[in-house]
Amino acid sequence: SLVPWSRFSDFKQGQQSYFATRVAAKPWRVALAGVHPADSAAMGVLLKEALGGNLELSYHGLECWHENETSHHCKFRCDILGQCENDALFDRLIAKMGDGKHFEPTNYDLEELIGDMSSIVQATPALQAPDLLVCSGPFILCTLLEQVLPSVPRLIHFGFSLLFMTSERNSQ
């Protein structure tokens, strides 16, 4: 049997398959959420290859802390992904969860963050009804998205430890 992530070009012409008739038959709306721009970009490239380029991909929450050693993320995010400004997911949520200068989580309130995530999703069309949500971390971001978008299929890819940016108060 063929797995859905096989490349469309690998199938023999005329062969009917689940991939050809269902997976690649429509443009996929994919929302990719994560703080690390290079990790998110890599997932975007893999998804474009897997879906034969048949997708609308949006990136959310990519970090840009201008004042520390990760400021190169700002340049990468702008030059490679075309996202030169912070989005609401970063400015209103991720920045609240941690201190980018020292990579220390703040003592945030989880219920408040869920409320913030809900309002961000309501104000961001690409996050409202994606066909697939890809979360590349931190895990707490993926957890918040699951709370707000429970019925959206998701793929979680971690390049972080599970407790990265989880405050001591919420790590139990």
Side-chain angles (χ1 to χ4, degrees), residues 7-64:
R7 288 181 12 178
F8 184 70
S9 60
D10 292 343
F11 296 109
K12 293 180 181 174
Q13 195 168 10
Q15 179 181 359
Q16 292 298 314
S17 69
Y18 178 82
F19 181 82
T21 59
R22 300 251 168 48
V23 176
K26 65 173 187 151
W28 282 64
R29 290 177 321 243
V30 178
L32 205 151
V35 297
H36 197 279
D39 191 41
S40 295
M43 289 303 300
V45 168
L46 292 172
L47 288 165
K48 283 179 185 176
E49 178 67 20
L51 296 171
N54 198 15
L55 78 156
E56 299 166 14
L57 185 61
S58 59
Y59 294 93
H60 308 274
L62 301 174
E63 72 178 350
C64 180

Side-chain angles (χ1 to χ4, degrees), residues 120-153:
I120 291 167
V121 166
Q122 289 172 11
T124 310
L127 284 173
Q128 290 171 7
D131 297 310
L132 179 66
L133 175 64
V134 179
C135 188
S136 62
F139 186 71
I140 185 65
L141 174 62
C142 304
T143 301
L144 292 169
L145 285 163
E146 182 178 14
Q147 294 293 312
V148 175
L149 298 167
S151 63
V152 174

Side-chain angles (χ1 to χ4, degrees), residues 79-112:
D79 293 350
I80 305 299
L81 301 176
Q83 187 173 331
C84 299
E85 301 295 326
N86 289 342
D87 66 349
L89 191 58
F90 182 82
D91 277 344
R92 290 187 43 215
L93 191 94
I94 293 169
K96 188 184 286 188
M97 291 167 38
D99 171 9
K101 290 183 181 179
H102 305 100
F103 303 102
E104 293 291 328
T106 58
N107 198 17
Y108 54 79
D109 178 80
L110 188 58
E111 293 303 317
E112 181 182 332

